[in-house]
Amino acid sequence: MSAAAVTDGDARPGMSDALVVLSHVNKHFGALHVLQDIDLTVHRGEVVVVIGPSGGGKSTLCRAINRLETIDSGEIVIDGRPLPAEGRELAGLRADVGMVFQSFNLFAHKTVMQNVTLGQIKVRKKDRASADERARSLLERVGVASQADKYPAQLSGGQQQRVAIARALAMDPKVMLFDEPTSALDPEMINEVLEVMQQLAHEGMTMVVVTHEMGFARSAANRVVFMADGRIVEETTPEVFFSNPRSERAKDFLSKILHH
């Protein structure tokens, strides 16, 4: 780990608790080196919030963890197993890694209920009755149970994103990835999604969250990872990061976003 990315003595669980481990991960898009020798460990029950300027590699990092983006070198291990390249093993591993995207990615031609039961039946091999029961309880939990028979187009953006969270949770994932889950939402809908995420964090779900929502980073994160130019520049507790960032890059970033 580089000196810039040392942690400020915050108590961390031991390595046996490591759920997601990235070691020396590199990724290029053509000549652009978007992930530069990334080392990151996410522990069970930890909420890691990844922030930084646009184009810094945050979303690519998030997408690499469930292999929506391939990496050029390095290794990603989830719950002790290296990320498989493709095939059935990868599908099984993806089921352990829930993903919530910026653009909801719901199946437009399926009802809310069908969206939340599909993966349970196809991938987890649940029978329809238990899949339905699980879906209903999750839709209740995220506050959209009354929308179960509607299609995504009939829902607000905030409702669609909450359905997307329920769909990911329905697979009983070991870790949840959120890639800028509120950036496509109208301002009044952002809080309804963040509230669901806060609740998940409170319940001990392991989460990696790429976001521009600094309030969420302050209140829900165990650790803030600040990325810029494809590197992890700083990684520490929210208290330390927001009150006393050490790198000039982070100071500059915070001064721009916190004073507007």
Side-chain angles (χ1 to χ4, degrees):
M1 193 180 281
S2 67
V6 291
T7 56
D8 285 348
D10 47 334
R12 289 276 197 82
M15 282 305 286
S16 61
D17 252 4
L19 186 58
V20 180
V21 181
L22 287 79
S23 309
H24 306 302
V25 169
N26 285 276
K27 168 75 179 174
H28 295 78
F29 289 124
L32 200 61
H33 196 171
V34 286
L35 295 178
Q36 301 188 34
D37 214 29
I38 297 290
D39 289 317
L40 180 67
T41 298
V42 180
H43 297 276
R44 253 173 249 285
E46 192 178 23
V47 178
V48 173
V49 174
V50 184
I51 61 177
S54 293
K58 306 183 302 295
S59 286
T60 305
L61 173 81
C62 196
R63 292 168 66 84
I65 293 173
N66 75 345
R67 218 176 173 284
L68 285 172
E69 294 288 358
T70 54
I71 58 174
D72 299 332
S73 63
E75 185 179 54
I76 300 175
V77 173
I78 296 181
D79 204 11
R81 291 168 51 209
L83 209 52
E86 55 199 25
R88 185 166 295 180
E89 260 190 285
L90 180 62
L93 188 124
R94 280 219 181 111
D96 287 340
V97 182
M99 180 105 185
V100 177
F101 301 87
Q102 190 173 333
S103 53
F104 324 136
N105 285 22
L106 296 172
F107 296 113
H109 60 289
K110 294 190 181 296
T111 64
V112 164
M113 192 69 176
Q114 289 167 331
N115 266 281
V116 182
T117 55
L118 186 69
Q120 296 182 68
I121 294 165
K122 293 263 193 244
V123 180
R124 292 292 192 208
K125 307 299 182 199
K126 285 188 178 177
D127 62 83
R128 181 164 299 283
S130 57
D132 281 356
E133 189 180 341
R134 176 89 172 123
R136 282 191 199 287
S137 80
L138 286 168
L139 292 171
E140 188 81 47
R141 182 170 162 191
V142 301
V144 289
S146 60
Q147 314 296 324
D149 299 324
K150 291 187 177 171
Y151 288 89
Q154 297 172 284
L155 273 53
S156 71
Q159 288 170 328
Q160 288 188 60
Q161 195 58 295
R162 285 182 285 159
V163 171
I165 293 172
R167 180 177 66 175
L169 288 173
M171 304 299 284
D172 297 316
K174 293 174 178 173
V175 57
M176 286 278 282
L177 310 176
F178 293 85
D179 185 12
E180 300 196 17
T182 58
S183 60
L185 298 177
D186 293 335
E188 69 271 19
M189 291 173 192
I190 290 173
N191 280 344
E192 63 190 53
V193 172
L194 291 178
E195 274 171 26
V196 171
M197 292 168 62
Q198 285 272 17
Q199 185 60 36
L200 286 177
H202 184 66
E203 290 166 7
M205 172 61 75
T206 309
M207 295 162 65
V208 178
V209 182
V210 174
T211 186
H212 295 291
E213 297 296 328
M214 296 302 131
F216 179 83
R218 279 177 190 268
S219 62
N222 300 109
R223 192 160 31 125
V224 170
V225 170
F226 175 72
M227 280 188 81
D229 309 316
R231 297 178 185 277
I232 293 177
V233 180
E234 285 191 43
E235 119 176 62
T236 184
T237 62
E239 298 76 33
V240 171
F241 182 76
F242 287 106
S243 63
N244 190 23
R246 280 164 308 166
S247 64
E248 288 308 312
R249 197 77 177 80
K251 286 174 187 166
D252 179 54
F253 174 77
L254 287 172
S255 72
K256 287 187 174 126
I257 57 160
L258 298 178
H259 297 156
H260 285 297

